[in-house]
């Protein structure tokens, strides 16, 4: 009798987890479909000749990356291999494969991730910025919420800054009308992105050769009423060619908190698919 009950319980758990995974996949696909259906098709490509005067390091980056030669993409899909830490005292990061979709017009992204905590525990989740609104939902086994934020102005601004920083994978977005550039020095420029009253900014630091080496922004780490912006840094550790464009292949992301720096994510992007 005990064996029969154990088998029934095991089957129930298997069915429950399969159902949760099905719901998770369907939700992600629905969000991606919403992004792709909102793309403005046939929008004229912006070029260096009809854009505002760009700071020299930004112009050098666009030329060096080869992005001007491959055309303006409507969407970009990145397959990523991540090492992710969920807490500041965590010593070893969890492996976390992810898939991220971007669109340029309108600017949006959807990032789906599976955090493999151990052989049994997995966290499924996504981080999205669609229709100028951010949404983050993470669930253990796709069932129990670990993190959930939506409809919050601070998270909207933070997501907009994330989109801005990740222009390193789609440099042509630097020429979009919603991005404005301000010269700082020969190797640094500030970018500001504005969408219907929502604004975010950050500083891009470049190498002499014209590659992005670092992005720095004052960004909300959390969205509670008392939360303040924290310095957020993306360090590019390796660059290479993906889909004909020179982009970061490896990077690390750090929150520079009052208690000290917390490098919470290390990233590698092995596959990139685009459509011109």
């Amino acid at each position: 009798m005990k064996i029969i009950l154990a088998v029934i319980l095991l089957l129930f758990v298997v069915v429950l987890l399969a159902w949760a995974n099905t719901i998770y996949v369907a939700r992600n696909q629905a969000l991606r479909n919403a992004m792709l259906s909102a793309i403005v098709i046939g929008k004229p490509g912006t070029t260096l000749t009809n854009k505002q005067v760009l700071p020299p390091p930004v112009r050098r980056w666009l030329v060096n990356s080869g992005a001007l030669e491959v055309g303006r993409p409507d969407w970009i899909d990145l397959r990523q291999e991540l090492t992710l830490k969920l807490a500041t005292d965590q010593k070893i990061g969890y492996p976390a494969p992810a898939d991220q979709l971007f669109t340029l017009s309108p600017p949006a992204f959807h990032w789906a991730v599976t955090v493999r905590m151990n052989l049994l525990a997995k966290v499924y989740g996504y981080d999205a910025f669609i229709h100028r609104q951010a949404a983050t939902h993470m669930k253990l086994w796709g069932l129990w919420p670990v993190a959930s934020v939506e409809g919050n102005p601070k998270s909207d601004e933070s997501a907009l800054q994330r989109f801005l920083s990740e222009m390193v994978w789609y440099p042509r977005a630097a020429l979009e009308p919603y991005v404005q550039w301000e010269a700082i020095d020969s190797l640094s420029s500030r970018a500001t992105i504005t969408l219907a009253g929502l604004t975010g900014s950050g500083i891009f630091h470049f190498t002499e050769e014209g590659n992005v080496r670092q992005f720095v922004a004052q960004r909300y780490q959390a969205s509670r009423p008392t939360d303040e912006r924290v310095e957020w840094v993306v360090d590019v550790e390796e660059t290479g060619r993906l889909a004909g464009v020179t982009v970061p292949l490896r990077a690390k992301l750090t929150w520079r908190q009052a208690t000290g720096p917390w490098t919470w994510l290390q990233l590698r992007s092995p596959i990139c698919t685009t459509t011109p």
Side-chain angles (χ1 to χ4, degrees):
M1 186 64 179
K2 291 183 179 180
I3 295 177
I4 294 175
L5 289 176
V7 171
I8 292 173
L9 179 60
L10 178 60
L11 289 174
F12 173 77
V13 170
V14 169
V15 171
L16 182 64
L17 294 180
W19 172 81
N21 184 68
T22 300
I23 296 299
Y24 167 74
V25 171
R27 176 58 175 163
N28 284 332
Q29 191 59 54
L31 291 170
R32 286 171 170 254
N33 290 341
M35 286 177 58
L36 295 173
S37 65
I39 291 176
V40 178
I41 302 296
K43 181 179 178 180
T46 308
T47 68
L48 280 173
T49 58
N50 63 19
K51 176 68 178 174
Q52 62 174 329
V53 176
L54 293 171
V58 179
R59 179 178 290 268
R60 187 164 56 246
W61 168 47
L62 287 172
V63 172
N64 176 72
S65 69
L68 301 177
E69 301 172 9
V70 300
R72 177 186 178 280
D74 289 322
W75 55 262
I76 304 97
D77 192 10
L78 286 174
R79 303 294 176 87
Q80 303 168 332
E81 296 295 333
L82 313 176
T83 301
L84 180 67
K85 294 181 180 179
L86 301 178
T88 55
D89 58 353
Q90 185 177 330
K91 301 301 182 182
I92 300 176
Y94 301 126
D99 191 348
Q100 182 152 317
L101 176 69
F102 305 93
T103 62
L104 269 62
S105 181
F109 68 79
H110 176 272
W111 180 72
V113 64
T114 301
V115 184
R116 298 170 177 167
M117 301 175 68
N118 54 48
L119 290 176
L120 296 178
K122 291 183 180 181
V123 173
Y124 298 99
Y126 68 85
D127 191 23
F129 181 71
I130 303 173
H131 303 315
R132 298 188 297 275
Q133 291 186 329
T136 301
H137 296 283
M138 308 286 285
K139 293 183 177 182
L140 181 62
W141 294 304
L143 294 170
W144 289 278
V146 175
S148 182
V149 180
E150 192 167 355
N152 186 290
K154 290 185 177 181
S155 61
D156 292 344
E157 178 187 308
S158 184
L160 187 65
Q161 287 175 299
R162 173 173 175 169
F163 178 90
L164 184 66
S165 73
E166 298 196 42
M167 283 197 308
V168 293
W169 283 292
Y170 40 97
R172 280 296 291 264
L175 296 173
E176 294 297 310
Y178 47 74
V179 179
Q180 301 297 314
W181 291 93
E182 174 190 349
I184 295 179
D185 55 39
S186 63
L187 294 176
S188 302
S189 297
R190 181 186 302 276
T192 299
I193 181 170
T194 303
L195 298 174
L198 183 64
T199 300
S201 67
I203 298 175
F204 286 84
H205 298 277
F206 303 90
T207 66
E208 292 281 359
E209 296 76 21
N211 295 320
V212 176
R213 68 171 183 83
Q214 189 181 69
F215 176 84
V216 181
Q218 296 296 321
R219 186 178 177 216
Y220 287 113
Q221 185 177 357
S223 55
R224 294 163 300 194
T226 57
D227 286 320
E228 301 291 338
R229 295 178 181 88
V230 178
E231 188 170 69
W232 182 69
V233 182
V234 180
D235 287 300
V236 177
E237 299 181 308
E238 180 186 351
T239 58
R241 303 287 281 190
L242 286 179
V245 181
T246 298
V247 297
L249 297 183
R250 291 190 304 112
K252 65 179 182 180
L253 282 64
T254 302
W255 290 103
R256 291 180 176 169
Q257 302 169 320
T259 55
W262 176 37
T263 298
W264 65 282
L265 188 148
Q266 293 183 314
L267 176 151
R268 181 170 64 91
S269 292
I271 300 174
C272 177
T273 305
T274 69
T275 181

